[in-house]
């Protein structure tokens, strides 16, 4: 075996203790006296147990035999009412009938020819069934204010006993200063009140070990109210007088008065002391506890609620003395003293020890006990008084027996018994006189392993009498091991210190005494030590971040199966998988801590444990937090425009402070608002602050490090600066005008911190730019001024200067502003309109003179509206369209016009004020364009080689329609498209076309474009399939050969036959009921549909309802939901039937690869006709 170098002090201490234990334990193969190895102590016969077992087991050679005594008299184990075991002293008492006969104190005796061992006393308790005696309890009548005791007198039973006072509804009687239940269970009233009257005071005694609760008969208590006043007195007066008559000083009821003012109480060491006091009186007395001459023991003494009981736990000799309880009220006191005597049952001071001796040796047997009173010692030999059976050469004293020249016949079991009034203890000591050749208990050829650098322990446990010597040798060598690295312990174990790989091999252990020799061989293997590496090393983690630690391990291949890794922090090991909340997660050698806090800072250790060694690796985790706020802000060097601010740095929480933020509060407009004033490097803790006049400053400082900002510090003292003239003038001077020649001058007002003093005003000066005139000026308190000028949109020099009660601001700089604009007064002249195509024209106009703009020209605006269509000559209501062109320009494009239409167009100029007058309307026309796509395209009729298509006019013709271009091609649900065929329909009024010479059972895609003289528009598409016989026949030929189809047809035929038989039987029985009439009255939709359809029709799509649709639509039913979806493709045309009323099914078709471009399409699928 091997031991870890790290943290193994406790383990080594335990090993060395075991190595020094005596080698006197005798193997069972050697003759020896009996030794009791197991016994019962107190056995309680609970009524719900099946049997009760009293144990006594012993070992010895020869094998011991057992006998018993009960109450110091022989107990017959052959009693048929008990069950014994072979080669054992244990017996069972079945829980049958009356077992109280077996109650008593038992001792077990284990004997062989060499001696007798005696057990400690075993008490067998047969508890009785506790019952309250049947009794008649007389009602109790008392006057209000009297004291009373309701006795409980619970029956005796197996402890513990719990007593409760309740009413008949099992509600607890409330206890307080006035009402108290004693330890014996009696209910005390210091003084009764009217509310105490009741007829159901019940005492309940609970014995939890017996699972029993018993109840005393209910008691009736009547409290009579005192009436010393006459009838005219009020109830308050009556109560007051009554109480004054009954008032009295305290008188102790517990302890009872007859035992006097003091009493003695004996308690055993380690037990709990309970003292109780209760006093009657009015007003209700209060109880106080004290220990005379010293204080109550701290931490172990408690006063129970309402102070009626003093409880001291774990009593020691220091708790001896006098304790006093004192009851007091307004009228006096009463007290009782408890003299506490602390005693102790016997306990061993020197317990007699068994020993093995060789012939002719000497020995001594010690037995000392302590207790209070001092225990008496009695010696026995083999269970009998030693005085009756002394051995030659024994010298006896009260506490020891000495032996000289021991012989084999001196072998015996000595018993030492110590007793006082609180109990008896007994110990057996075996004296074995033996002479044998050494017996080695450790197995031969045992294999051991340890780790390089650790100690190795090779065991050679033996028994020898007389005493033997132990010698270890390297196997196959004849000289003993020598050197400081080898040590043989008293029990024969060889320890090799600081092992190396060269220590591996076999070793021999020789044990030798005067009777002979014995030898065994032990094999030692040396393993590599386990190594760990933790990363990162000594990490620094900001608070609230995630900490990840990795522990990499390397160990000997033979030890990998036993390798266990664990993590600890500051010596406390984490749970195997981390914490339940998931904040700390351990996955093998990986440790993850989320949302890290300051409490997570510390030394983290990864530990590895194998079967032979253990090691650990540590890393220090530093948690970085925001700094603590700076403290002790101090102002010094106070000046009109400056002050020095200093402070003390707070804890930086492991992260150096990078800077401080100095803030101030003092804005008169926003009191309480803190603003940043400056920033200071982290090494500095003071700064001279530049200040503004006329401000009552208060400062605070915030520390900043790499983690974040601290809370602000406590504010500094106030520092007020005197007023001064303004240091600056307003900025952002601008003009705003809503009327011609008007100039509303505006500027950004000075902020509160910029005003420098009271009485802030603004001096506004202005004059025409470049004119030699004097400045006009006006002083205002707000930040706007309205000025009327003689001209429109003229430049002016304007300046604004700040003034307060202490003077003027600096000389202001003038800015150029313009007076208010007016609308342009003239309209542009349109030179021409060039029609570029059917939807786009270019307009050219002349610019208006600059003097008529009356402001800053923003651009030109074109208005146009359609007057009529050239296709039908219909006039249009005026709907003006507007298009603006910014800047100075004289042409512009007008897009998105309707083709083949007449338009009117005007142009006007606009400035910041608005638009001027319009030019004279210019009339122009747009040419024809290509039409939009037809409004719908539908396949209305198909046959095996023909199809008829119908379509609607385009929504916008955009000219005179000249005809249509119809194209079609085969698609057949593949990526390969057929040849595109084209037909020109030259009759514009035609709205349908019949195609012939199509392929049967083929899917086609159709495209249709409308055309004018300018060309054809975008196509609309539709898909459809022709009919055919071959496909239908082939389909059913294939199905008819399928096994599942044959089975289905057979099942249908069988069901039809059964139905026909049932109908025939019913018709014959009834005679008047016609199945045909029933069918006519309630036609089956499925059957009727089949009758209406042509046999063999089916839908080429998966939409089976198409089959039944033929009948339904012929009966003028409403379109189905799928039919409604066609409306959006037909621009409102809901004609979804052909001329004979057949249904045209439809679905939205996807755009095929390589198909002609289309804006919309749908697909129609048609039933095939045979």
């Amino acid at each position: 075996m091997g031991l870890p170098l790290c943290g193994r002090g406790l383990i080594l201490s335990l090993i060395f203790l075991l190595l020094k234990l005596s080698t006197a334990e005798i193997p069972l193969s050697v003759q020896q006296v009996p030794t009791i190895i197991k016994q019962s102590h107190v056995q309680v016969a609970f009524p719900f147990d099946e049997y009760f077992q009293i144990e006594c087991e012993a070992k010895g050679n020869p094998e011991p035999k057992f006998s018993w005594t009960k109450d110091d008299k022989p107990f017959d184990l052959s009693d048929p009412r008990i069950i014994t075991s072979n080669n054992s002293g244990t017996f069972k008492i079945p829980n049958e009938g009356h077992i109280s006969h077996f109650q008593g104190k038992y001792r077990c005796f284990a004997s062989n020819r060499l001696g007798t061992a005696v057990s400690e006393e075993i008490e067998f308790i047969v508890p009785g069934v506790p019952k309250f005696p049947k009794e008649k309890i007389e009602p109790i009548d008392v006057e209000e204010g009297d004291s009373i005791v309701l006795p409980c007198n619970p029956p005796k039973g197996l402890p513990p006993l719990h007593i409760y006072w309740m009413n008949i509804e099992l509600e607890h009687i409330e206890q307080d200063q006035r009402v108290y239940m004693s330890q014996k269970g009696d209910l005390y009233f210091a003084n009764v009140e009217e509310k105490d009257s009741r007829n159901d005071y019940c005492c309940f005694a609970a014995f939890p070990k017996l699972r029993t609760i018993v109840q005393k008969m209910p008691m009736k208590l009547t409290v009579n109210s005192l009436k010393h006043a006459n009838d005219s007195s009020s109830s308050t007066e009556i109560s007051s007088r009554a109480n004054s008559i009954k008032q009295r000083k305290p008188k102790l009821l517990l302890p009872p008065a007859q035992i006097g003012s003091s009493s003695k109480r004996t308690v055993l060491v380690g037990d709990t002391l309970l003292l109780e006091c209760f006093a009657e009186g009015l007003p209700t007395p209060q109880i106080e506890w004290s220990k005379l001459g010293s204080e109550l023991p701290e931490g172990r003494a408690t006063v129970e609620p309402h102070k009626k009981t003093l409880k001291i736990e774990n009593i020691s000799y220091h708790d001896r003395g006098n304790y006093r309880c004192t009851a007091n009220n307004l009228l006096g006191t009463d007290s009782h003293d408890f003299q506490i005597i602390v005693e102790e049952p016997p306990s061993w001071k020197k317990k007699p020890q068994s020993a093995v001796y060789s012939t002719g040796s000497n020995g001594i047997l010690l037995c000392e006990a302590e207790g209070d009173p001092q225990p008496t010692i009695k010696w026995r030999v083999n269970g009998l008084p030693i005085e009756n059976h002394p051995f030659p050469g024994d010298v006896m004293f009260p506490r020891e027996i000495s032996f000289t020249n021991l012989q084999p016949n001196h072998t015996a079991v000595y018993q030492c018994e110590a007793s006082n009034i609180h109990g008896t203890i007994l110990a057996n000591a075996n004296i074995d006189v033996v002479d044998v050749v050494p017996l080695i208990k450790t197995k031969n050829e045992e294999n051991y392993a340890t780790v390089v650098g650790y100690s190795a322990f090779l065991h050679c446990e033996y028994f020898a009498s007389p005493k033997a010597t132990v010698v270890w040798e390297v196997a196959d060598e004849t000289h003993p091991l020598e050197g400081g690295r080898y040590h043989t312990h008293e029990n024969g174990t060889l320890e090799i210190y600081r092992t190396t790989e060269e220590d591996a091999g076999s070793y021999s252990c020789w044990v030798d005494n005067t009777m002979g020799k014995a030898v065994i061989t032990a094999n030692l293997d040396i393993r590599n030590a386990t190594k760990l590496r933790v990363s990162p090393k000594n990490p620094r983690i900001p608070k609230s971040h995630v900490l990840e630690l990795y522990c990499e391990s390397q160990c000997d291949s033979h030890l990998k199966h036993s390798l266990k890794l664990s993590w600890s922090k500051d010596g406390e090991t984490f749970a195997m998988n981390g914490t339940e909340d998931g904040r700390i997660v351990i996955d093998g050698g990986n440790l993850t801590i989320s949302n890290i806090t300051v409490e997570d800072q510390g030394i983290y250790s990864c530990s590895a444990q194998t079967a032979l060694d253990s090691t650990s690796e540590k890393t220090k985790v530093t948690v970085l937090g925001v700094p603590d706020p700076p403290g002790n802000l101090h102002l010094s060097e106070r000046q009109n425009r400056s002050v020095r601010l200093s402070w003390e740095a707070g804890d930086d929480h492991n992260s150096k402070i990078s800077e401080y933020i100095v803030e101030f509060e003092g804005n008169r407009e926003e009191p309480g608002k803190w603003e940043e004033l400056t920033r200071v490097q982290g090494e500095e803790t003071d700064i001279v602050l530049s200040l503004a006049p006329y401000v009552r400053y208060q400062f605070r400082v915030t520390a900043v490090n790499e983690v974040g900002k601290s809370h602000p510090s406590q504010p500094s003292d106030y520092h007020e600066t005197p007023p001064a003239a303004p240091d600056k003038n307003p900025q952002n001077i601008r003009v705003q005008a809503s009327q011609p020649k008007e100039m509303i001058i505006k500027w950004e007002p000075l902020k509160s911190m910029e005003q420098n003093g009271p009485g802030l005003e603004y001096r506004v000066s202005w004059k025409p730019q470049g004119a030699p005139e004097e400045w006009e000026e006006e002083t205002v308190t707000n930040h706007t001024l309205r000025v009327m000028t003689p001209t429109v949109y003229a430049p002016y020099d304007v300046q604004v200067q700040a003034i307060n009660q202490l003077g003027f601001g600096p000389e202001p700089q003038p800015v150029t502003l313009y007076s208010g604009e007016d609308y342009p007064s003239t309209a542009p002249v349109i030179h021409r309109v060039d029609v570029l195509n059917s939807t786009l024209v270019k307009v050219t106009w002349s610019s208006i003179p600059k003097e008529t703009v009356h402001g800053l020209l923003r651009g030109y605006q074109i208005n146009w509206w359609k007057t009529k269509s050239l296709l039908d000559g219909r006039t249009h209501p005026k709907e003006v369209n507007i298009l603006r062109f910014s800047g100075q320009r004289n042409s512009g494009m007008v897009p998105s016009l309707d083709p083949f239409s007449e338009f009117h167009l005007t142009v006007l100029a606009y400035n910041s004020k608005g638009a001027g007058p319009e030019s004279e309307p210019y009339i122009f026309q747009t040419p024809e364009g290509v039409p939009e796509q037809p409004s719908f395209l539908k396949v209305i009729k198909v046959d095996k080689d023909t199809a008829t298509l119908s379509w609607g006019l385009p929504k916008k013709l955009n000219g005179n329609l000249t005809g249509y271009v119809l194209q079609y091609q085969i698609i057949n649900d593949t990526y390969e498209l057929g040849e595109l065929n084209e037909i020109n329909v030259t009759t514009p009024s035609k709205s349908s076309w019949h195609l012939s010479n199509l392929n049967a059972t083929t899917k086609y895609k159709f495209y249709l474009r409308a055309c004018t003289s300018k060309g054809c528009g975008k196509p609309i598409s539709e898909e459809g399939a022709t009919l055919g016989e071959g496909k239908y026949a082939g389909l059913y030929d294939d199905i008819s050969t399928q096994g599942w189809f044959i089975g289905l047809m057979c099942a249908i035929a069988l069901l039809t036959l059964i139905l026909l038989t049932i109908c025939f039987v019913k018709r014959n029985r009834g005679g008047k009921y016609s199945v045909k009439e029933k069918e006519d009255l309630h036609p089956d939709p499925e059957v009727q549909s089949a009758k209406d359809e042509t046999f063999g029709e089916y839908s080429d799509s998966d939409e089976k309802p198409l089959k039944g649709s033929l009948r339904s639509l012929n009966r003028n039913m409403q379109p189905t939901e799928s039919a409604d979806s066609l409306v959006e493709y037909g621009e409102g045309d809901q004609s979804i039937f052909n001329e004979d009323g057949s249904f045209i099914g439809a679905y939205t078709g996807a755009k095929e690869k390589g198909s002609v471009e289309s804006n919309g399409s749908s697909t129609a699928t048609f039933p095939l006709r045979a």
Side-chain angles (χ1 to χ4, degrees), residues 11 13 148 196 217 271 286 335 345 400 418 453 527 540 576 672 756 866 975 1043 1091-1092 1134:
I11 299 176
S13 299
I148 189 69
D196 297 325
M217 294 295 292
D271 285 357
Q286 303 293 316
S335 64
E400 69 178 56
R527 313 289 193 202
R540 294 165 56 85
M576 183 174 296
N756 287 7
K866 182 177 178 179
Y975 289 104
K1091 292 179 180 179
D1092 291 346
Q1134 299 187 31

Side-chain angles (χ1 to χ4, degrees), residues 47-175:
F48 38 80
D49 289 341
E50 182 180 351
Y51 61 85
F52 316 107
Q53 181 168 286
I54 300 179
E55 292 182 313
C56 180
E57 302 292 342
K59 66 175 184 177
N61 185 2
E63 188 173 311
K65 298 185 180 300
F66 297 91
S67 61
W68 287 85
T69 62
K70 175 177 174 288
D71 299 329
D72 295 327
K73 296 180 181 179
F75 177 70
D76 187 6
L77 288 177
S78 63
D79 190 322
R81 292 175 293 179
I82 65 174
I83 302 171
T84 59
S85 302
N86 292 331
N87 302 320
S88 171
T90 300
F91 64 91
K92 296 179 182 179
I93 303 174
N95 190 3
E96 298 173 355
H98 188 63
I99 61 171
S100 59
H101 168 77
F102 293 101
Q103 179 166 295
K105 296 180 179 180
Y106 292 79
R107 278 194 192 274
C108 173
F109 296 82
S111 306
N112 63 15
R113 62 181 179 80
L114 300 177
T116 300
V118 182
S119 74
E120 294 185 62
E121 199 169 63
I122 304 171
E123 184 174 9
F124 182 59
I125 302 172
V126 182
V129 178
K131 293 181 181 179
F132 277 104
K134 292 183 179 180
E135 57 182 335
K136 181 180 180 182
I137 302 176
E138 296 295 332
I140 302 173
D141 282 11
V142 294
E143 290 186 342
E144 185 178 5
D146 287 347
S147 66
I148 189 69
V149 179
L150 301 183
C152 179
N153 298 324
K156 293 182 179 180
L158 186 68
L161 166 64
H162 301 300
I163 299 176
Y164 310 94
W165 280 90
M166 294 186 282
N167 60 22
I168 202 68
E169 295 179 353
L170 299 182
E171 297 172 338
H172 286 272
I173 303 299
E174 185 177 353
Q175 299 183 39

Side-chain angles (χ1 to χ4, degrees), residues 40 66 71 101 240 310 532 720 760 779 875 889 896 1046 1112 1150:
S40 300
F66 297 91
D71 299 329
H101 168 77
S240 176
L310 173 64
L532 295 177
E720 191 165 0
L760 179 69
T779 301
T875 60
R889 57 189 298 171
S896 302
I1046 297 172
S1112 300

Side-chain angles (χ1 to χ4, degrees), residues 20 54 91 101 104 193 229 231 301 323 344 368 385 390 463 518 577 703 737 869 888 906 978 1042:
K20 291 185 177 181
I54 300 179
F91 64 91
H101 168 77
E193 299 175 355
D231 295 339
Y323 293 80
E344 186 177 9
E368 292 185 26
F463 172 78
N577 297 320
S869 170
Q888 181 65 265
T906 63
Q1042 300 296 319

Side-chain angles (χ1 to χ4, degrees), residues 95 100 189 447 635 659 694 748 1013 1074 1107 1132:
N95 190 3
S100 59
F189 293 80
N447 295 316
L635 298 177
E659 64 177 353
Y694 197 52
E748 294 295 331
S1013 60
S1074 170
K1107 294 177 69 175

Side-chain angles (χ1 to χ4, degrees), residues 662-848:
V662 179
E663 297 175 297
F664 75 94
E665 186 273 329
N667 193 325
R668 297 177 188 273
E669 294 180 355
E670 298 179 285
K673 179 182 178 182
W674 291 89
E675 300 180 53
E676 182 177 325
L677 182 60
T678 187
R679 296 197 175 206
V680 183
Q681 291 298 316
E683 297 81 10
E684 305 293 332
T685 55
D686 70 333
I687 185 175
V688 176
L689 301 173
S690 297
L691 307 178
Y694 197 52
V695 178
R696 190 168 186 255
Y697 281 98
Q698 196 176 23
F699 305 98
R700 70 182 187 185
V701 183
T702 302
V704 182
N705 64 9
E706 62 180 301
V707 181
K709 297 180 180 179
S710 73
H711 291 295
S713 68
Q714 291 298 315
S716 70
D717 296 336
Y718 285 99
H719 176 71
E720 191 165 0
T721 56
D727 292 329
K728 61 182 295 187
N729 290 316
Q731 302 295 316
N732 191 20
I733 302 171
R734 60 198 183 278
V735 69
Q736 177 180 326
S738 59
Q739 300 296 329
K741 305 178 183 180
E742 179 185 56
M743 191 164 59
I744 299 176
I745 304 170
K746 292 188 174 184
W747 57 90
E748 294 295 331
L750 294 185
K751 298 178 182 178
S752 174
M753 299 296 297
E754 299 170 337
Q755 295 177 10
N756 287 7
L760 179 69
E761 294 180 323
Y762 301 99
R763 176 180 290 173
V764 184
S765 304
W766 69 93
K767 69 173 184 176
Q769 194 174 58
E773 302 175 13
E774 292 294 326
W775 290 85
E776 296 185 63
E777 66 178 36
E778 187 172 340
T779 301
V780 295
T781 56
N782 57 12
H783 55 281
T784 181
L785 176 65
R786 183 175 182 267
V787 175
M788 294 303 297
T789 64
T791 56
V792 175
Y793 199 65
Y796 280 80
D797 288 332
V798 179
Q799 58 188 23
V800 181
Q801 185 178 28
I803 308 171
N804 66 16
Q805 292 179 2
L806 281 86
F808 297 88
E811 187 66 26
Q813 294 296 319
V815 297
T816 301
L817 301 178
Y818 285 83
S819 58
E821 298 181 63
D822 202 352
Y823 296 106
S825 57
T826 60
V829 176
I830 301 175
H831 293 318
R832 67 179 183 276
V833 174
D834 298 323
V835 179
L836 302 182
N837 57 40
S838 62
T839 62
L840 180 68
V841 298
K842 180 180 180 181
V843 183
T844 304
W845 62 87
S846 62
S847 302
I848 65 173

Side-chain angles (χ1 to χ4, degrees), residues 253 272 406 497 590 628 637 729 808 827 839 942 976 1037 1121:
L253 300 179
T272 298
L406 287 167
Y497 301 109
N590 300 335
D628 286 343
E637 302 177 20
N729 290 316
F808 297 88
T839 62
V942 294
E976 296 181 4
D1037 287 344
E1121 182 178 352

Side-chain angles (χ1 to χ4, degrees), residues 31 43 58 124 224 290 358 371 378 631 677 906 959:
Q31 289 191 353
Q43 177 73 43
F124 182 59
N224 299 311
S290 62
S358 60
K378 291 183 180 179
L677 182 60
T906 63

